[in-house]
Amino acid sequence: MPHNLLFRTIFTHIYRLRPKFYRRWNKLYFFLMGVSYGRNMCVFNKIHIAGNGNVIIGDNFNFSSGDHLNPISRNIEGSIYVPNDNSLIKIGNNVGISSACLWANERITIGNNVNIGADCIIIDTDAHPHNYVQRRSEFISSVTSEEYSKQIPTSPIVIDDDVWIGARCQVLKGVHIGARSIISAGSIVTKDIPADCIAGGVPAKVIKQLS
């Protein structure tokens, strides 16, 4: 066997060991972080969970995070952020995600049989106030974190069953993506997308209907 093929084989086996470890460790990690999950959860490699909110996950959840498990993701680490006491991310059954960021100030609902491609951002908030005065440090230090959060535009996101979201998409606040639709890679979804269509672009628009 040529030396390069030998080293490829060796390093391939080494990389396979980490996912096996994290698959077991992440079940404990999710439990300790208060995440409710169903049967057959497989979360490969390190993932970041933060905030005081709730995360509810159905059966057969699969999340790959960095370490080139998905070559398109490269080494990007996935994250789940539920900052407020009433924040909620609810994920259905048979959902697959690669190195995505899920950020719910209020609520993100993901249906069954959904695929979310590499390095996507799904965020139900603008993260900062629109009023420039309220973005200044003097204002931030003068109010409580709860009062500051009220100044930030936020609206729930709903992704229906059997949706496929391509790599490096952004799904922004208030969006509802209808069942069985496909969002093409690199799109920014700012408005509702109906069921049974392909949508794409910046901002995303319907490209064609699916029969």
Side-chain angles (χ1 to χ4, degrees), residues 70 72-74 76-77 97-101 116-121 166-170:
N70 180 341
I72 300 174
S73 300
R74 304 182 307 284
I76 298 169
E77 183 181 311
I97 301 175
S98 293
S99 296
C101 169
I116 299 175
D119 195 18
C120 287
I121 297 174
R168 296 188 181 85
C169 288
Q170 296 182 39

Side-chain angles (χ1 to χ4, degrees), residues 120-123 157-159 163-166 168-178 182-194 199-206:
C120 287
I121 297 174
I122 301 175
I123 180 170
I157 292 171
V158 178
I159 300 171
V163 167
W164 172 21
I165 299 176
R168 296 188 181 85
C169 288
Q170 296 182 39
V171 180
L172 304 184
K173 69 178 190 302
V175 164
H176 181 181
I177 301 177
I182 299 170
I183 309 300
S184 62
S187 299
I188 299 180
V189 188
T190 62
K191 296 182 179 179
D192 291 354
I193 302 297
V202 181
K205 298 179 181 179
V206 175

Side-chain angles (χ1 to χ4, degrees), residues 12 41 61 94 103 129 153 177 179 191 193 203:
T12 297
M41 182 179 76
F61 179 64
N94 310 311
W103 179 340
I177 301 177
K191 296 182 179 179
I193 302 297

